[in-house]
Amino acid sequence: MQALHIHAGPRARSLLAERGLRAQDVRVIPGAAGGPKGLILKSLDQHIFGPWLGASTQEVHLVGASIGAWRMATACLGDAEGEFERLAHEYVYQRYDSKPGKMPTAEDVTRGFRSKLLEVFGGREQQVLSHARYRLHVFTSRGRHVLAREGRLRTPAGYLGAFAANLMARRAMGAWLERVVFSDPRDPLPMPLHDYRSRQVELTAHNLLPAVLASCSIPFWLQAVHDIPGGPRGAYWDGGITDYHLHLDYASMIGDGIALYPHFQRQVIPGWLDKALKGRHGATAFLDNVVLLAPNPEWVKTLPRGKLPDRDDFKHYGDDTDARAKAWLRAIAESERLREEFVTACERGRIDALPL
């Protein structure tokens, strides 16, 4: 059974059939939100950001939301093998102060997560922002009106309004939450953000950590990050709310480059609130030049509990952190097959990709 499936939009499929998957063709790499699911991509990340892209010379834009932002910032540290190993270890063994048998509070999780980001990236902000080839873009969701500040009553009321607006139309949710992208000032994003209410803010050493923290701040699970330096005032939450899987207009990029998307599933869902709206899960023309790498759903069934690591495991294992870590580490070890099959596919010279 194959562990890795390679999907592609129509333009990307033609390129893969003609000349295969080449590092020099990559212009953008997205990193999706999805919490622990991103752990399954560790071995792929180590190879892609290590020897594979290391053999090319072009600039590459790294766009990320939530754990995807953490992954993309990690890529900018340089040592792909070591740094992604560390990311996986830190994520697997995360512990938060809480009473026995009780789930940690949002304050507990925020305090622990902020401390971990400071431990990993503190003092290395400029290293992240000065990578010779990579351009980092961190996606966040900024609350508007009632969601402009976090509060015990206003936050659930605001998200109820955002949920209702999103049911009518994705763009309508922009009245409640806007996309704010903290972007490398050296080069703008190579694609427009016309699909949803958006702002771009300069990413600096002063706002890198709060931007990544905000991008990972799942509502009600973590606290919002308020008033990020350089950005408009307000409460910032997980970038996955507005851009769960970063379903952006990659097809508008100039030239014949591709967006290479290491993902944990075939579907590229626009926003977090679209998860239940199956009609929004299909590929659009935005993805015509996307090459998406995803685990075979049948192979996923061979992993612990027959699925990818996810947040449900926190409830399933409760206080037994060691059991959860053991299951996640086994899934990560099995994901080495994704790297091996990616290497083999690149060596073939031409690829008959599956449609998105």
Side-chain angles (χ1 to χ4, degrees):
M1 182 194 303
Q2 275 193 309
L4 178 68
H5 280 176
I6 299 178
H7 300 270
R11 196 194 322 169
R13 282 205 308 276
S14 296
L15 287 174
L16 294 182
E18 175 188 337
R19 62 197 189 199
L21 184 51
R22 308 186 310 176
Q24 61 264 39
D25 291 331
V26 176
R27 299 291 179 269
V28 177
I29 298 181
K37 294 176 184 176
L39 293 171
I40 207 70
L41 303 172
K42 189 266 286 188
S43 293
L44 268 177
D45 285 341
Q46 287 175 313
H47 181 73
I48 289 170
F49 292 109
W52 194 66
L53 277 178
S56 61
T57 59
Q58 79 283 6
E59 291 179 359
V60 181
H61 291 267
L62 311 183
V63 298
S66 199
I67 191 175
W70 189 356
R71 287 172 51 223
M72 297 302 105
T74 297
C76 294
L77 290 173
D79 174 17
E81 194 70 26
E83 294 294 348
F84 280 106
E85 192 69 44
R86 180 181 184 182
L87 186 159
H89 181 274
E90 301 290 3
Y91 205 104
V92 166
Y93 287 103
Q94 59 186 301
R95 297 172 184 264
Y96 303 105
D97 297 330
S98 62
K99 295 179 181 179
K102 299 287 186 180
M103 291 295 291
T105 66
E107 183 180 4
D108 294 333
V109 179
T110 300
R111 182 172 55 251
F113 197 75
R114 180 186 292 113
S115 175
K116 187 56 61 180
L117 287 179
L118 183 61
E119 181 184 326
V120 174
F121 295 105
R124 299 204 286 174
E125 294 90 346
Q126 200 55 49
Q127 182 181 348
V128 171
L129 297 172
S130 60
H131 193 283
R133 296 175 53 208
Y134 297 158
R135 304 293 184 258
L136 179 64
H137 308 274
V138 177
F139 280 60
T140 67
S141 304
R142 172 181 171 267
R144 305 183 68 239
H145 307 306
V146 71
L147 287 175
R149 313 304 289 180
E150 188 173 32
R152 185 173 61 87
L153 297 178
R154 64 191 299 163
T155 300
Y159 274 100
L160 182 62
F163 177 81
N166 188 66
L167 283 177
M168 294 186 293
R170 173 165 157 74
R171 282 180 178 270
M173 193 176 70
W176 300 86
L177 291 153
E178 72 175 348
R179 168 199 289 151
V180 178
V181 186
F182 291 82
S183 287
D184 189 316
R186 292 175 293 178
D187 290 290
L189 275 169
M191 74 287 270
L193 298 174
H194 50 61
D195 61 304
Y196 187 83
R197 184 187 186 98
S198 304
R199 297 195 198 197
Q200 280 189 264
V201 176
E202 183 174 318
L203 185 63
T204 70
H206 297 294
N207 63 25
L208 173 65
L209 288 183
V212 174
L213 176 60
S215 189
C216 296
S217 293
I218 305 165
F220 311 109
W221 184 255
L222 283 86
Q223 296 172 316
V225 178
H226 287 84
D227 306 332
I228 298 178
R233 287 178 56 81
Y236 291 78
W237 279 279
D238 196 307
I241 301 169
T242 55
D243 293 281
Y244 189 41
H245 293 164
L246 298 153
H247 194 128
L248 306 174
D249 189 3
Y250 304 105
S252 67
M253 294 189 305
I254 298 173
D256 61 355
I258 63 170
L260 179 70
Y261 198 159
H263 198 13
F264 44 78
Q265 64 181 49
R266 173 185 175 180
Q267 295 79 15
V268 181
I269 302 171
W272 189 80
L273 295 177
D274 297 323
K275 288 197 295 183
L277 305 178
K278 302 298 185 182
R280 300 184 188 178
H281 292 195
T284 70
F286 279 11
L287 308 182
D288 281 358
N289 63 337
V290 169
V291 176
L292 186 142
L293 313 174
N296 176 357
E298 293 303 311
W299 173 78
V300 169
K301 293 177 183 178
T302 69
L303 300 178
R305 301 187 66 205
K307 65 177 186 61
L308 299 174
D310 61 25
R311 281 193 298 274
D312 180 66
D313 292 331
F314 287 106
K315 295 180 181 179
H316 178 80
Y317 293 104
D319 292 334
D320 195 348
T321 305
D322 290 338
R324 172 175 56 79
K326 182 179 179 180
W328 284 7
L329 288 173
R330 183 186 147 196
I332 292 171
E334 292 291 331
S335 73
E336 177 64 29
R337 285 190 57 189
L338 301 178
R339 173 177 9 198
E340 293 169 355
E341 292 181 16
F342 176 78
V343 171
T344 300
C346 292
E347 290 173 346
R348 283 204 298 266
R350 68 180 302 275
I351 296 173
D352 293 320
L354 299 167
L356 275 172

